[in-house]
Amino acid sequence: MKKLNFRKLVLALADIFIISVSSIISNFILSLFSLPGAEASIGLSYFILINLFCCIVMLTIFGSYTVMWRYFNYKDYLICTAAMFFGFVLGYAVTIIFDISEHIIFVGLFFLISSAGINLFRFAFRKTFLDLTDVGRAEAFERTLIVGAGNAGRMILTEIQNSAYDENSPTRTILPVCFVDDDRTKLNSKINGVPIVGTCPEIADVCEEYSISSIIVAVPSCEEEERRTILDYCSKTSCKIKIVPYLSELLFDDKHTQLISQAKEIKIEDLLGRKPVEFDKEEIKNLIVGKVCMVTGGGGSIGSELVRQIAKYDPKQIIIVDIYENNAYDIQQELVLEYGTKLNLVTLISSVRDYNKMDVIFREYRPQLVFHAAAHKHVPLMETVPEEAVKNNIFGTFNMATLSEFYEVEKFVMISTDKAVNPTNVMGATKRACEMIIQYKAQHSEHTEFVTTRFGNVLGSNGSVIPLFRRQIESGSPVTVTHPDIIRYFMTIPEAVSLVLEAGAMAKGGEIFVLDMGAPVKIVTLAENLIRMYGKVPYKDVPIVFTGLRPGEKLFEELLMDEEGLKSTENEKIFIGNQIDIDSGEMLSLLEELRIASNNNDSEKTVELLAKLIPTFNHKLNQ
């Protein structure tokens, strides 16, 4: 505030000086040509003082001292001229009243010279002093490109300009340099003095030409594919990128009055080319509120997010079951810090393989909802020890489903994967077996509704490519991709967990819920974009090395088996795969053989029996 008052004082003093000198210049010009009005007198001095006072008052009233010098544009120059005109009119009227008026020719020349001087001073000051100041403080400013010269872009520019002299504003160091917009009719025009210099395909060239260090994408009303294209253009620069949310996600209330505060740094999920899927929170709340909820694998990336979201809906109790104590402890402490004693939370270090221990837990806590996220999920590691994948994934699931049925759990939701569809690896085959177990239980259970959720890769989850890519980039190592053509479906952790909860709310028993995950993404493109988000150039600053497909890995994944088909639901992004008839006698017989083989740690026999249990299992051992 002190700096702002000082700036106003300096500008006002400069205007006083300019108006005073203009009167002298006007008088001198008239005297050169022996024109009336050139006589110096006490009356002339009073006339000048009165007009000086009236002009300063009008400049203040018209807001000429509240506009930042840096952002003066033609409208502000017109406002200054109008303020000077009305100041002279008022001053002339006052001098007539006091009978000290001057010749009209002097008044006109005085007005023209003083108005021109005031505007010229502002123009010169903006072009010289402030430019020199910016050069001296270049490192303190973020030279920023705003993508989108529509209403959102204008609002953001105004917010930045208004906060330029507010020392407490986090945006005061942002220096808007230029706009780009795909509407070519806007090119070469200006918004509040900031030029529109190009279109979105030219973003990389514009950033290089204008030494841009950050980009704000201000196109909240664009379509998903258009946003993805814009972000692709932005990611080809080394700039920091912030993005204004979609219109439906913007907040305008007492706490969110500005757009710029809602612009967030771009995350890798913004490059998926689709909006996050929205779910019916009221339906989820009705499922959770007042219930005892058990989450197996509750310390993992999916399980911990499940626990977080369940905690928001006022459950009676949450039971975290996990074999890995570090992760379980982390989520426990996080929830204790957030909820204190308001949340009834129990954390149990136990394995779903241990039927007897799980029986004790079910008997003591009597869960009403079970979310089964515990599983071995790492494809290459499970190829080397298939018997461990079978023990944990298949028989851990069988234990939990059997106990859920026995203790009359209301709903059992199992988390599966797209790798279960026509599996080519042990992990995928075990998850397909889990799906079959859940469908079998659903067909025979009288009390429990069994349901499966199936989705693709989860961004940021343990074992996903993103944490690996981040570690490689941050350590200066090459980024490793198995194949240049490999593609995957992706979703965010909150999306995956919301799907699980929504499926639980919608379940009637036996369904396999599938999320519409949009278009698949090439892993190499994901790697390139992540490298660019670190401000580096792919293949130049960070090499990308293709290592070859790993054992059991496919070039592409599928979300549905051919015979499953699709049924729509009330949520246009969620579909249900049709149930497949299962020969329960044969399945149970093969499961018993599989149990014996895995307990004997017979890897070859285990894989052989998996292939019998899962007819679509096309396994190629690369050993």
Side-chain angles (χ1 to χ4, degrees), residues 36-86:
E39 302 84 5
S41 64
I42 294 296
L44 177 63
S45 300
Y46 284 135
F47 178 86
I48 293 170
L49 287 173
I50 290 170
N51 278 275
L52 174 61
F53 176 78
C54 290
C55 286
I56 295 299
V57 169
M58 284 298 171
L59 285 167
T60 303
I61 292 173
F62 275 65
S64 297
Y65 299 125
T66 60
V67 180
M68 304 297 108
W69 291 330
R70 183 189 305 279
Y71 304 118
F72 246 76
N73 57 40
Y74 73 95
K75 290 182 181 178
D76 299 306
Y77 294 122
L78 290 176
I79 288 172
C80 283
T81 303
M84 291 294 292
F85 175 78
F86 285 106

Side-chain angles (χ1 to χ4, degrees), residues 472-526:
Q472 289 172 334
I473 295 168
E474 290 167 4
S475 67
S477 305
V479 170
T480 56
V481 178
T482 57
H483 194 283
D485 296 324
I486 194 168
I487 60 173
R488 290 290 183 266
Y489 291 96
F490 282 97
M491 66 191 309
T492 65
I493 292 176
E495 278 184 312
V497 167
S498 294
L499 170 65
V500 173
L501 296 175
E502 178 88 345
M506 296 169 63
K508 302 301 179 187
E511 304 98 330
I512 295 180
F513 287 90
V514 180
L515 179 68
D516 178 0
M517 301 180 66
V521 178
K522 289 184 74 170
I523 300 297
V524 67
T525 302
L526 205 60

Side-chain angles (χ1 to χ4, degrees), residues 393-394 397 414-440 452 454 510 512 559-561 563-564 577-582 587 591 610 613-617:
N393 295 358
I394 296 179
T397 298
M414 191 201 77
I415 296 170
S416 188
T417 169
D418 56 0
K419 294 176 178 60
V421 180
N422 301 321
T424 60
N425 53 66
V426 167
M427 194 282 283
T430 61
K431 295 302 281 186
R432 177 57 193 153
C434 293
E435 292 182 354
M436 292 168 63
I437 290 168
I438 297 307
Q439 287 198 321
Y440 161 73
T452 298
R454 183 194 290 162
I512 295 180
L559 289 170
L560 282 174
M561 296 170 65
E563 63 268 34
E564 285 178 326
N578 295 321
Q579 291 193 35
I580 301 171
D581 290 332
I582 296 171
M587 184 187 79
L591 282 175
L610 265 179
L613 179 64
I614 315 296
T616 57
F617 182 26

